[in-house]
Amino acid sequence: ILDLVSHRLQLIKKNSLSVSHLSLLVPRLRTRFDEVLVLNFHDQSRGGPHADLFCQPSLNMTNMCKAIRDQGPTPHTNSGVNLDYSDLAYGAKKAGLVDIDSDERMVDVANAAHIHHRDALDSIPFARVCPPSSEIEQLWNFSLSYELEFFPETDVDDMKSDFETFSTVKLCKVDVEQTLKVKSWQDFFRGV
């Protein structure tokens, strides 16, 4: 992910990649259609993305809107996958700390590492490798620009807070090398 973020930012700087396909698509659609609606799927204020879509007065979908609202909030289904423990297991294998000879064994070792981290180490935060702060700042500026272009009512303070949390968790990966220097992790992988 670190390489992807860096590569995308470089392409955007060189103008060979649009910050957003919507920035190009929406103006083109507006030349052909009277109403173009851009929805923010992260905004839960109106009941989530489905309610936001089906409860637009211009669509006149009152029964569908009522059914969606009666159902309650839509669960967030795109939450991502934590690869920290798989990365650690793979790093331990490369370092010769553990034998892993199948995908099933990799999953077992990663799950055991997760349990070890949670139970034996009280989930002490990992050292993490993150993109340089200059790239994080660029990504924030692009994100803010895009968000305000389509959703000018966005609460910038809330968005900044969410972005700061996201950027230190989702854009960073566990520092496998540093973690595997810790004796308790070495002992764990040797014994698993």
Side-chain angles (χ1 to χ4, degrees):
I1 187 110
L2 300 177
D3 294 337
L4 175 67
V5 169
S6 181
H7 179 70
R8 290 290 174 131
L9 288 172
Q10 288 175 10
L11 289 175
I12 291 169
K13 276 193 248 178
K14 292 178 186 174
N15 291 324
S16 36
L17 179 70
S18 172
V19 173
S20 153
H21 66 282
L22 282 178
S23 298
L24 301 174
L25 179 62
V26 169
R28 283 192 6 227
L29 290 174
R30 286 188 172 139
T31 66
R32 298 181 145 233
F33 301 100
D34 294 333
E35 186 174 343
V36 176
L37 179 64
V38 178
L39 301 177
N40 183 346
F41 275 74
H42 302 285
D43 181 4
Q44 297 294 316
S45 66
R46 290 185 288 261
H50 297 107
D52 205 17
L53 173 63
F54 292 112
C55 297
Q56 293 296 319
S58 61
L59 296 178
N60 194 25
M61 298 182 81
T62 53
N63 290 335
M64 177 65 95
C65 176
K66 182 178 178 340
I68 295 284
R69 286 201 171 135
D70 289 348
Q71 155 187 328
T74 306
H76 184 71
T77 56
N78 187 14
S79 57
V81 176
N82 182 336
L83 297 175
D84 288 351
Y85 304 103
S86 296
D87 289 349
L88 282 174
Y90 182 72
K93 174 188 183 253
K94 281 178 49 178
L97 296 172
V98 66
D99 288 325
I100 298 175
D101 54 5
S102 68
D103 290 343
E104 293 80 19
R105 174 77 172 136
M106 176 63 83
V107 170
D108 289 344
V109 171
N111 287 337
H114 182 215
I115 292 166
H116 173 71
H117 186 227
R118 182 191 67 209
D119 296 347
L121 302 177
D122 294 327
S123 298
I124 296 169
F126 291 119
R128 303 197 82 72
V129 178
C130 301
S133 58
S134 61
E135 289 182 6
I136 297 287
E137 187 63 28
Q138 285 179 310
L139 191 57
W140 161 250
N141 289 331
F142 290 134
S143 298
L144 180 62
S145 172
Y146 168 80
E147 192 80 14
L148 292 176
E149 179 181 354
F150 292 103
F151 309 107
E153 72 282 356
T154 296
D155 182 327
V156 175
D157 292 334
D158 281 351
M159 184 181 165
K160 180 71 171 177
S161 174
D162 291 346
F163 181 85
E164 286 172 352
T165 299
F166 175 84
S167 67
T168 59
V169 176
K170 299 289 186 180
L171 295 181
C172 302
K173 62 182 184 175
V174 65
D175 188 333
V176 173
E177 188 176 316
Q178 279 300 116
T179 302
L180 293 179
K181 288 180 181 177
V182 176
K183 184 175 180 342
S184 61
W185 278 109
Q186 292 173 7
D187 292 344
F188 164 76
F189 282 114
R190 284 189 184 108
V192 73

